[in-house]
Amino acid sequence: MSNIQQSGTFTLGSHTVKRLGYGAMQLAGPGVFGPPKDHDAALAVLREAVAQGVDHIDTSDFYGPHVTNRLIREALAPYKDDLVIVTKIGARRGADGSWLPAFSPGALTQAVHDNLSNLGLEVLDVVNLRIMFDTHGPAEGSIEAPLAVLAELQQQGLVRHIGLSNVTSAQIAQGRRIAEIVCVQNQYNLAHRGDDALIDDLARDGIAYVPFFPLGGFNPLQSSTLSDVAARLGATPMQVALAWLLRRAPNILLIPGTSSVGHLRENLAAAELELPQDTLNELDGVALAA
């Protein structure tokens, strides 16, 4: 059994969580659309994650849609007191599986209620507002209107804490003038390091940074340097990539996803992997070569 306590802890809203968590996106069908190919296997992954000590699960009701939240409820409810479930709103799925913005007050409000219903909760621990001005990455634009809707839902007692996803530094600054922001979720990994300065700024302010696609997402990380380091350390490339993120900054919380119990255990074992300083220097060069 892996000891994910070695990953350390960081504050997420009103909880202190282990820095190595689990992302549920891959439990849905191909393209994050439709049911899983193996329902029982999906439940097993969720239960194993909690058994291994995971206390931070990332999900959304637009995964499936509705699929991952219903799996989480089936597998884990009634939930442990220390389990933090983070969800996100701001998008919906087209009939063809496309990802579409859903920013209207009605859509955002319905999304919160759908998450509550499908997860079987009376209040959501953390809700990330996913900004969809550009589906390929952060793009400038005011987030005041949709964030004000989420802040109102927070005041109604349906949401405890608010985060932001797929955002720029300017949008984070704007968001913090409207509501307390407890986490930021952007794309970041060993090769995709555009948020380096942002991560350090957030760390100084005690705000968690949760990189999505920590292993490359739909385009898995491929690097001869990464493979060479992994071979020397007797680890997998993905374990090295996760261990590097844990060393990168103390406010980084990881949510690697998988639909396999075996891969889950491999990912969580990254908490125990030590990276010497010369190895860290070598890995830092991967971004320059990307």
Side-chain angles (χ1 to χ4, degrees), residues 98 109 276:
S98 55
T109 301

Side-chain angles (χ1 to χ4, degrees), residues 184-206:
V184 171
Q185 189 178 93
N186 279 1
Q187 182 177 0
Y188 183 84
N189 55 52
L190 185 60
H192 190 284
R193 296 185 57 179
D195 274 358
D196 267 336
L198 173 61
I199 289 170
D200 295 335
D201 289 342
L202 294 174
R204 283 190 287 270
D205 289 340

Side-chain angles (χ1 to χ4, degrees), residues 31 55-56 59 71-72 90-91 113 130 142 156 197 209 215 219 269 273:
D55 55 11
H56 168 210
T59 185
L71 288 169
I72 289 169
H113 283 283
R130 168 80 176 185
S142 175
Q156 293 174 18
Y209 183 92
L215 305 178
N219 298 295
L273 186 60

Side-chain angles (χ1 to χ4, degrees), residues 227-252:
S227 298
D228 291 346
V229 167
R232 291 203 308 269
L233 296 177
T236 69
M238 297 302 98
Q239 287 173 329
V240 173
L242 292 172
W244 178 87
L245 284 165
L246 289 172
R247 286 290 301 271
R248 169 60 186 81
N251 61 323
I252 287 181

